[in-house]
Amino acid sequence: MKIDVLSLFPEMFEGFLTTSIIKRAIDSGHVEVTIHDFREFATDRHKSVDDTPYGGGQGMVLMCKPLLDCLKTVVTKDSLVILMSPQGMTHHQAYAEELALNQKHIVIICGHYEGFDERIRDYVDVELSIGDYVLTGGELGAMVVMDSVIRLLHGVITQASHEDDSFSNGLLEYPQYTRPYEYEGSKVPDVLISGHHENIRKWRLKESLRKTMIKRPDLLEKRSFTEEELEILKEAKVKS
Ligand SMILES: NC(=O)c1ccc(NCc2cccc(O)c2)nc1
């Protein structure tokens, strides 16, 4: 997969691209990431990329030309152009999976200031938001989207570890434990050291359902259930 990012602050991506799993994915060739500073496409002496809004009002608006001149150097017919914006569709796991599976080339536009000249949206395929809050720019959102997609690329991390991710099966993740067995009086649940894999699987499923019921009941509304899960939910309702 190839990802091109358009940003006025390429330096914001250095830590992200040179650390841990993302660094490994780039070094192993699973993904190629290029950050483009679209200020380089500003043609005037002051390298302007923004200007005051027509119709007056506070703040500055990103101009079309420098950004779109930069975009045109990276976009091909197979590109998916994503614009990071608070007005966009809220990013979610299923969309990360869709992008990781289907997209060969993603272009992410990061804006700053109070937004973009509306005509930029004519060159955008998807407007995407990482949540209902306004940030100083789209860069953090771009890193969130890239992280969620790159980790899913085949071979970046073991397939098994995806299955138990929160949200990957539509449920929150079951509780995890590692050594020591006892920490300040708190012990690891017996089932996890029983070596009984079927009991462990059942316990984990039950805990995922329980945690999801408590913390994110909304996730259960839009999810279909296996017979076994329905059994567990019925049992839980009886007890509650
Ligand atoms: N929730 C998000 O994904 C998100 C994305 C960008 C952003 N800031 C740049 C920007 C871009 C466009 C309009 C605008 O008003 C602000 N802030 C939050």
Short mmCIF file of all heavy atoms in Angstrom, two decimals, residues 179-216:
data_model
loop_
_atom_site.label_atom_id
_atom_site.label_comp_id
_atom_site.label_asym_id
_atom_site.label_seq_id
_atom_site.Cartn_x
_atom_site.Cartn_y
_atom_site.Cartn_z
N ARG A 179 2.32 -12.23 33.83
CA ARG A 179 3.01 -12.38 35.14
C ARG A 179 3.14 -10.99 35.80
O ARG A 179 3.26 -9.98 35.11
CB ARG A 179 4.40 -12.98 34.88
CG ARG A 179 4.34 -14.49 34.64
CD ARG A 179 5.74 -15.04 34.39
NE ARG A 179 6.17 -14.73 33.02
CZ ARG A 179 5.86 -15.48 31.96
NH1 ARG A 179 5.11 -16.56 32.13
NH2 ARG A 179 6.25 -15.15 30.77
N PRO A 180 3.15 -10.90 37.17
CA PRO A 180 3.15 -12.02 38.12
C PRO A 180 1.75 -12.57 38.31
O PRO A 180 0.76 -11.85 38.06
CB PRO A 180 3.67 -11.38 39.40
CG PRO A 180 3.19 -9.97 39.33
CD PRO A 180 3.25 -9.60 37.88
N TYR A 181 1.64 -13.78 38.84
CA TYR A 181 0.33 -14.39 39.11
C TYR A 181 -0.42 -13.57 40.16
O TYR A 181 -1.63 -13.35 40.08
CB TYR A 181 0.53 -15.83 39.60
CG TYR A 181 -0.73 -16.41 40.20
CD1 TYR A 181 -1.81 -16.74 39.38
CD2 TYR A 181 -0.86 -16.59 41.57
CE1 TYR A 181 -2.98 -17.25 39.92
CE2 TYR A 181 -2.02 -17.10 42.12
CZ TYR A 181 -3.07 -17.43 41.30
OH TYR A 181 -4.24 -17.91 41.84
N GLU A 182 0.32 -13.08 41.19
CA GLU A 182 -0.37 -12.28 42.22
C GLU A 182 0.31 -10.91 42.31
O GLU A 182 1.53 -10.81 42.38
CB GLU A 182 -0.31 -12.97 43.58
CG GLU A 182 -1.03 -12.15 44.67
CD GLU A 182 -1.22 -12.95 45.95
OE1 GLU A 182 -1.07 -14.19 45.90
OE2 GLU A 182 -1.53 -12.31 46.98
N TYR A 183 -0.45 -9.85 42.25
CA TYR A 183 0.08 -8.48 42.37
C TYR A 183 -0.70 -7.77 43.48
O TYR A 183 -1.91 -7.56 43.36
CB TYR A 183 -0.05 -7.73 41.05
CG TYR A 183 0.42 -6.30 41.14
CD1 TYR A 183 1.79 -5.99 41.19
CD2 TYR A 183 -0.49 -5.24 41.24
CE1 TYR A 183 2.24 -4.69 41.31
CE2 TYR A 183 -0.06 -3.93 41.36
CZ TYR A 183 1.31 -3.66 41.40
OH TYR A 183 1.75 -2.37 41.54
N GLU A 184 0.00 -7.47 44.59
CA GLU A 184 -0.61 -6.78 45.73
C GLU A 184 -1.96 -7.42 46.09
O GLU A 184 -2.98 -6.75 46.24
CB GLU A 184 -0.79 -5.29 45.42
CG GLU A 184 0.56 -4.61 45.17
CD GLU A 184 0.48 -3.08 45.22
OE1 GLU A 184 -0.64 -2.54 45.23
OE2 GLU A 184 1.55 -2.45 45.23
N GLY A 185 -1.89 -8.75 46.14
CA GLY A 185 -3.07 -9.48 46.62
C GLY A 185 -4.07 -9.81 45.53
O GLY A 185 -4.99 -10.58 45.74
N SER A 186 -3.88 -9.24 44.35
CA SER A 186 -4.86 -9.49 43.27
C SER A 186 -4.31 -10.59 42.36
O SER A 186 -3.23 -10.46 41.80
CB SER A 186 -5.06 -8.21 42.46
OG SER A 186 -5.95 -8.47 41.40
N LYS A 187 -5.09 -11.68 42.24
CA LYS A 187 -4.62 -12.84 41.49
C LYS A 187 -5.24 -12.93 40.10
O LYS A 187 -6.28 -12.31 39.83
CB LYS A 187 -4.97 -14.12 42.27
CG LYS A 187 -4.25 -14.24 43.60
CD LYS A 187 -4.69 -15.50 44.35
CE LYS A 187 -4.02 -15.57 45.73
NZ LYS A 187 -4.61 -16.67 46.55
N VAL A 188 -4.59 -13.70 39.24
CA VAL A 188 -5.12 -13.98 37.91
C VAL A 188 -6.30 -14.96 38.04
O VAL A 188 -6.22 -15.89 38.87
CB VAL A 188 -4.01 -14.60 37.03
CG1 VAL A 188 -4.56 -15.06 35.69
CG2 VAL A 188 -2.87 -13.61 36.83
N PRO A 189 -7.41 -14.74 37.33
CA PRO A 189 -8.55 -15.68 37.42
C PRO A 189 -8.10 -17.12 37.18
O PRO A 189 -7.32 -17.39 36.25
CB PRO A 189 -9.49 -15.19 36.30
CG PRO A 189 -9.18 -13.73 36.15
CD PRO A 189 -7.70 -13.63 36.43
N ASP A 190 -8.61 -18.04 38.03
CA ASP A 190 -8.16 -19.44 37.98
C ASP A 190 -8.30 -20.06 36.59
O ASP A 190 -7.42 -20.79 36.14
CB ASP A 190 -8.97 -20.27 38.99
CG ASP A 190 -8.61 -19.86 40.42
OD1 ASP A 190 -7.48 -19.32 40.59
OD2 ASP A 190 -9.44 -20.05 41.33
N VAL A 191 -9.40 -19.73 35.91
CA VAL A 191 -9.66 -20.38 34.60
C VAL A 191 -8.47 -20.18 33.66
O VAL A 191 -8.13 -21.06 32.86
CB VAL A 191 -10.97 -19.83 33.99
CG1 VAL A 191 -10.82 -18.36 33.63
CG2 VAL A 191 -11.34 -20.65 32.75
N LEU A 192 -7.80 -19.02 33.77
CA LEU A 192 -6.72 -18.70 32.80
C LEU A 192 -5.46 -19.51 33.05
O LEU A 192 -4.58 -19.58 32.20
CB LEU A 192 -6.41 -17.20 32.85
CG LEU A 192 -7.56 -16.28 32.40
CD1 LEU A 192 -7.14 -14.82 32.45
CD2 LEU A 192 -8.05 -16.65 31.01
N ILE A 193 -5.35 -20.11 34.24
CA ILE A 193 -4.17 -20.96 34.50
C ILE A 193 -4.58 -22.43 34.56
O ILE A 193 -3.79 -23.28 34.92
CB ILE A 193 -3.43 -20.54 35.78
CG1 ILE A 193 -4.40 -20.49 36.98
CG2 ILE A 193 -2.78 -19.18 35.60
CD1 ILE A 193 -3.68 -20.33 38.30
N SER A 194 -5.85 -22.69 34.17
CA SER A 194 -6.35 -24.08 34.24
C SER A 194 -5.81 -24.92 33.08
O SER A 194 -5.81 -26.14 33.13
CB SER A 194 -7.88 -24.07 34.15
OG SER A 194 -8.27 -23.68 32.83
N GLY A 195 -5.41 -24.24 32.00
CA GLY A 195 -4.96 -25.01 30.82
C GLY A 195 -6.13 -25.61 30.06
O GLY A 195 -5.95 -26.32 29.09
N HIS A 196 -7.36 -25.31 30.50
CA HIS A 196 -8.56 -25.86 29.84
C HIS A 196 -9.00 -24.87 28.76
O HIS A 196 -9.76 -23.93 29.04
CB HIS A 196 -9.65 -26.06 30.91
CG HIS A 196 -10.74 -26.99 30.47
ND1 HIS A 196 -11.51 -26.72 29.36
CD2 HIS A 196 -11.18 -28.17 30.98
CE1 HIS A 196 -12.39 -27.70 29.19
NE2 HIS A 196 -12.20 -28.60 30.16
N HIS A 197 -8.56 -25.09 27.52
CA HIS A 197 -8.71 -24.05 26.48
C HIS A 197 -10.17 -23.73 26.16
O HIS A 197 -10.51 -22.57 25.90
CB HIS A 197 -7.93 -24.46 25.22
CG HIS A 197 -6.45 -24.56 25.50
ND1 HIS A 197 -5.68 -23.44 25.80
CD2 HIS A 197 -5.63 -25.63 25.65
CE1 HIS A 197 -4.43 -23.83 26.09
NE2 HIS A 197 -4.37 -25.14 25.98
N GLU A 198 -11.03 -24.75 26.23
CA GLU A 198 -12.44 -24.49 25.92
C GLU A 198 -13.07 -23.62 27.02
O GLU A 198 -13.75 -22.63 26.74
CB GLU A 198 -13.20 -25.82 25.79
CG GLU A 198 -14.67 -25.69 25.43
CD GLU A 198 -14.98 -24.83 24.20
OE1 GLU A 198 -14.03 -24.49 23.43
OE2 GLU A 198 -16.13 -24.45 24.02
N ASN A 199 -12.72 -23.91 28.27
CA ASN A 199 -13.25 -23.08 29.37
C ASN A 199 -12.71 -21.65 29.26
O ASN A 199 -13.41 -20.67 29.51
CB ASN A 199 -12.86 -23.68 30.73
CG ASN A 199 -13.69 -24.91 31.05
OD1 ASN A 199 -14.60 -25.26 30.29
ND2 ASN A 199 -13.35 -25.58 32.15
N ILE A 200 -11.42 -21.55 28.85
CA ILE A 200 -10.80 -20.23 28.71
C ILE A 200 -11.50 -19.46 27.61
O ILE A 200 -11.88 -18.29 27.78
CB ILE A 200 -9.29 -20.36 28.41
CG1 ILE A 200 -8.57 -20.88 29.65
CG2 ILE A 200 -8.69 -19.02 27.96
CD1 ILE A 200 -7.13 -21.32 29.42
N ARG A 201 -11.80 -20.14 26.46
CA ARG A 201 -12.49 -19.47 25.35
C ARG A 201 -13.85 -18.96 25.81
O ARG A 201 -14.23 -17.82 25.58
CB ARG A 201 -12.64 -20.43 24.17
CG ARG A 201 -13.26 -19.80 22.92
CD ARG A 201 -13.68 -20.84 21.89
NE ARG A 201 -14.74 -21.72 22.38
CZ ARG A 201 -16.02 -21.35 22.47
NH1 ARG A 201 -16.38 -20.11 22.13
NH2 ARG A 201 -16.94 -22.20 22.94
N LYS A 202 -14.58 -19.83 26.54
CA LYS A 202 -15.93 -19.46 27.00
C LYS A 202 -15.86 -18.28 27.98
O LYS A 202 -16.62 -17.31 27.88
CB LYS A 202 -16.60 -20.65 27.70
CG LYS A 202 -17.16 -21.71 26.74
CD LYS A 202 -18.25 -22.54 27.44
CE LYS A 202 -18.90 -23.53 26.47
NZ LYS A 202 -18.23 -24.89 26.57
N TRP A 203 -14.88 -18.35 28.89
CA TRP A 203 -14.75 -17.27 29.88
C TRP A 203 -14.47 -15.95 29.18
O TRP A 203 -15.05 -14.91 29.47
CB TRP A 203 -13.62 -17.60 30.87
CG TRP A 203 -13.38 -16.56 31.92
CD1 TRP A 203 -14.03 -16.43 33.12
CD2 TRP A 203 -12.44 -15.48 31.86
NE1 TRP A 203 -13.56 -15.35 33.82
CE2 TRP A 203 -12.57 -14.75 33.07
CE3 TRP A 203 -11.49 -15.06 30.91
CZ2 TRP A 203 -11.80 -13.61 33.35
CZ3 TRP A 203 -10.72 -13.93 31.20
CH2 TRP A 203 -10.88 -13.22 32.40
N ARG A 204 -13.59 -15.99 28.19
CA ARG A 204 -13.21 -14.77 27.47
C ARG A 204 -14.41 -14.19 26.69
O ARG A 204 -14.66 -12.99 26.72
CB ARG A 204 -12.04 -15.03 26.52
CG ARG A 204 -10.71 -15.16 27.27
CD ARG A 204 -9.58 -15.58 26.37
NE ARG A 204 -8.28 -15.36 27.06
CZ ARG A 204 -7.12 -15.79 26.56
NH1 ARG A 204 -7.10 -16.44 25.38
NH2 ARG A 204 -5.99 -15.56 27.21
N LEU A 205 -15.18 -15.08 26.07
CA LEU A 205 -16.36 -14.61 25.33
C LEU A 205 -17.35 -13.96 26.29
O LEU A 205 -17.87 -12.87 26.05
CB LEU A 205 -17.02 -15.78 24.59
CG LEU A 205 -18.32 -15.46 23.84
CD1 LEU A 205 -18.08 -14.36 22.80
CD2 LEU A 205 -18.88 -16.71 23.16
N LYS A 206 -17.54 -14.62 27.43
CA LYS A 206 -18.50 -14.10 28.43
C LYS A 206 -18.04 -12.74 28.93
O LYS A 206 -18.82 -11.79 29.05
CB LYS A 206 -18.57 -15.10 29.60
CG LYS A 206 -19.66 -14.84 30.59
CD LYS A 206 -19.77 -16.03 31.54
CE LYS A 206 -20.66 -15.71 32.73
NZ LYS A 206 -20.62 -16.81 33.73
N GLU A 207 -16.73 -12.61 29.19
CA GLU A 207 -16.18 -11.34 29.68
C GLU A 207 -16.30 -10.24 28.61
O GLU A 207 -16.59 -9.09 28.93
CB GLU A 207 -14.71 -11.52 30.09
CG GLU A 207 -14.54 -12.24 31.42
CD GLU A 207 -15.23 -11.50 32.58
OE1 GLU A 207 -14.89 -10.32 32.80
OE2 GLU A 207 -16.11 -12.09 33.21
N SER A 208 -16.08 -10.62 27.36
CA SER A 208 -16.23 -9.63 26.28
C SER A 208 -17.67 -9.12 26.22
O SER A 208 -17.91 -7.92 26.14
CB SER A 208 -15.86 -10.24 24.92
OG SER A 208 -14.48 -10.30 24.74
N LEU A 209 -18.60 -10.06 26.31
CA LEU A 209 -20.03 -9.68 26.26
C LEU A 209 -20.38 -8.82 27.47
O LEU A 209 -21.02 -7.78 27.36
CB LEU A 209 -20.91 -10.93 26.20
CG LEU A 209 -20.96 -11.62 24.83
CD1 LEU A 209 -21.51 -13.04 24.96
CD2 LEU A 209 -21.80 -10.80 23.84
N ARG A 210 -19.87 -9.23 28.65
CA ARG A 210 -20.20 -8.50 29.88
C ARG A 210 -19.65 -7.06 29.79
O ARG A 210 -20.37 -6.08 30.04
CB ARG A 210 -19.60 -9.20 31.10
CG ARG A 210 -20.03 -8.63 32.46
CD ARG A 210 -19.43 -9.42 33.63
NE ARG A 210 -17.95 -9.39 33.56
CZ ARG A 210 -17.23 -8.32 33.94
NH1 ARG A 210 -17.85 -7.23 34.37
NH2 ARG A 210 -15.92 -8.33 33.86
N LYS A 211 -18.38 -6.95 29.38
CA LYS A 211 -17.76 -5.62 29.30
C LYS A 211 -18.48 -4.75 28.29
O LYS A 211 -18.69 -3.55 28.50
CB LYS A 211 -16.27 -5.74 28.94
CG LYS A 211 -15.40 -6.27 30.06
CD LYS A 211 -13.96 -6.36 29.62
CE LYS A 211 -13.17 -5.15 30.09
NZ LYS A 211 -11.71 -5.30 29.90
N THR A 212 -18.88 -5.38 27.17
CA THR A 212 -19.55 -4.60 26.12
C THR A 212 -20.93 -4.15 26.60
O THR A 212 -21.33 -3.01 26.40
CB THR A 212 -19.69 -5.44 24.84
OG1 THR A 212 -18.41 -6.01 24.52
CG2 THR A 212 -20.17 -4.58 23.67
N MET A 213 -21.63 -5.05 27.29
CA MET A 213 -22.97 -4.69 27.83
C MET A 213 -22.87 -3.49 28.77
O MET A 213 -23.69 -2.57 28.73
CB MET A 213 -23.56 -5.87 28.61
CG MET A 213 -24.35 -6.85 27.75
SD MET A 213 -24.75 -8.35 28.65
CE MET A 213 -25.84 -7.74 29.88
N ILE A 214 -21.81 -3.48 29.56
CA ILE A 214 -21.65 -2.41 30.56
C ILE A 214 -21.13 -1.12 29.93
O ILE A 214 -21.68 -0.04 30.12
CB ILE A 214 -20.70 -2.87 31.69
CG1 ILE A 214 -21.34 -4.02 32.48
CG2 ILE A 214 -20.35 -1.71 32.63
CD1 ILE A 214 -20.36 -4.78 33.36
N LYS A 215 -20.05 -1.25 29.11
CA LYS A 215 -19.37 -0.04 28.64
C LYS A 215 -19.89 0.47 27.29
O LYS A 215 -19.86 1.68 27.04
CB LYS A 215 -17.87 -0.32 28.49
CG LYS A 215 -17.12 -0.55 29.80
CD LYS A 215 -15.65 -0.76 29.54
CE LYS A 215 -14.85 -0.92 30.83
NZ LYS A 215 -13.41 -1.18 30.56
N ARG A 216 -20.34 -0.42 26.42
CA ARG A 216 -20.74 0.00 25.07
C ARG A 216 -21.95 -0.80 24.59
O ARG A 216 -21.90 -1.48 23.59
CB ARG A 216 -19.56 -0.18 24.10
CG ARG A 216 -18.40 0.78 24.26
CD ARG A 216 -18.79 2.21 23.94
NE ARG A 216 -19.37 2.38 22.63
CZ ARG A 216 -18.65 2.53 21.50
NH1 ARG A 216 -17.34 2.51 21.57
NH2 ARG A 216 -19.25 2.68 20.34
#
